[in-house]
Amino acid sequence: MSGVWYYLKRAGVNWRLAYLRQWSPDPEYQSKLEHLLGCLREAGRFPGEIELIFMDEAGFFRWPTPAKAWTEATPLPPPCAYHTGTENNSQWRLIGGLNTYSGQVNYLSNYIVGRRQVIAWYQQLNDTYPDAKKIYVAQDNWSIHTHPDVLGAIQQFPRIEPVWLPTYSPWLNPIEKLWRWLKVDILKMHRLSQDWIELRRQVVLFLGQFACGSRQLLHYVGLLGNGKLAQALRCQ
């Protein structure tokens, strides 16, 4: 087989990992994508005056998430995501927004995120950008986002305009990658299941590092670089 492999490589054939095709069933996918890209271009041309915020919700549990970890090889046992089993596996929720130009993150947390918390987050967002003339909020189609109470509350903030992402298209919402970073750094294999308050404090500290913006975060989520969203944002 080594000889076959040698000639295959010489012929330009390699053993490669497949990628999962990104697909949204939304019949308005292209028009919604073009609208999003147009809002990004506008935010890029008028930073400070036009803001575009990617919004999303996330949750985490008291018990750690199992993950790969460096450990001794078999036959010794694999690493353990430790919890005693005596404490309840409580959940905590987050609602956050990522500024596409600065990398600033504003968020709220609670044991539940519903209409009241979403409205409170909009109020916080409105207060965070007092000098902006327009605040686009790109978001998915969760039913709470389009609830009449929420849409009615948005009318109190005339500078805020929702931008609806195509259904089932998380690759168009870069804040999803911020949640991934949180899980990798804080939540996977943590040792704080017996100290729920400290675990939540660690989450607050992690998100707090982006309170004034972060180019590192923009690189991580793909808003700096050669991706489609990054190119639209910096298209003058």
Side-chain angles (χ1 to χ4, degrees):
M1 289 301 297
S2 61
V4 173
W5 181 245
Y6 172 78
Y7 284 105
L8 284 174
K9 291 186 70 176
R10 288 193 61 183
V13 178
N14 284 305
W15 182 260
R16 301 177 64 191
L17 180 66
Y19 68 91
L20 183 65
R21 179 184 178 187
Q22 296 175 336
W23 181 79
S24 166
D26 195 328
E28 299 179 1
Y29 179 89
Q30 195 59 41
S31 62
K32 289 180 178 179
L33 174 60
E34 290 302 324
H35 179 53
L36 172 64
L37 295 177
C39 293
L40 280 165
R41 294 185 192 103
E42 191 176 353
R45 285 195 297 267
F46 306 104
E49 294 185 21
I50 308 296
E51 304 286 3
L52 195 153
I53 311 298
F54 282 102
M55 168 198 187
D56 194 35
E57 294 80 20
F60 62 94
F61 290 91
R62 180 171 188 160
W63 293 359
T65 303
K68 289 184 177 181
W70 290 107
T71 186
E72 295 172 295
T74 55
L76 294 175
C80 176
Y82 177 80
H83 66 85
T84 65
T86 58
E87 66 277 351
N88 292 326
N89 193 19
S90 307
Q91 186 179 26
W92 202 250
R93 300 284 295 174
L94 302 163
I95 175 172
L98 169 63
N99 185 297
T100 56
Y101 200 82
S102 68
Q104 180 177 355
V105 174
N106 68 294
Y107 74 96
L108 292 176
S109 67
N110 205 323
Y111 71 95
I112 189 172
V113 169
R115 287 170 288 169
R116 183 179 302 176
Q117 289 74 29
V118 172
I119 293 169
W121 181 84
Y122 273 117
Q123 176 69 66
Q124 182 197 71
L125 183 69
N126 187 70
D127 296 341
T128 300
Y129 300 100
D131 300 324
K133 295 180 179 178
K134 174 75 73 175
I135 305 173
Y136 292 117
V137 181
Q139 56 194 284
D140 62 26
N141 297 269
W142 184 36
S143 59
I144 295 294
H145 293 168
T146 56
H147 192 281
D149 291 352
V150 174
L151 296 179
I154 294 175
Q155 300 304 311
Q156 303 173 32
F157 313 117
R159 298 179 303 140
I160 293 178
E161 179 180 323
V163 175
W164 303 109
L165 298 174
T167 55
Y168 302 106
S169 55
W171 57 89
L172 294 178
N173 196 344
I175 197 174
E176 297 270 6
K177 295 179 182 177
L178 172 62
W179 304 140
R180 181 179 68 187
W181 190 355
L182 170 64
K183 291 175 183 177
V184 169
D185 271 23
I186 305 297
L187 300 175
K188 287 186 175 181
M189 301 296 287
H190 71 74
R191 298 293 188 267
L192 294 170
S193 65
Q194 293 180 291
D195 195 340
W196 183 221
I197 293 176
E198 177 59 23
L199 177 59
R200 282 156 42 196
R201 190 181 78 87
Q202 291 296 321
V203 171
V204 167
L205 290 174
F206 175 86
L207 295 174
Q209 68 183 306
F210 309 118
C212 297
S214 169
R215 288 183 63 83
Q216 181 185 10
L217 177 58
L218 292 176
H219 274 290
Y220 184 85
V221 303
L223 288 169
L224 280 178
N226 298 319
K228 181 179 294 186
L229 301 183
Q231 290 181 344
L233 183 62
R234 282 154 180 83
C235 179
Q236 302 300 323

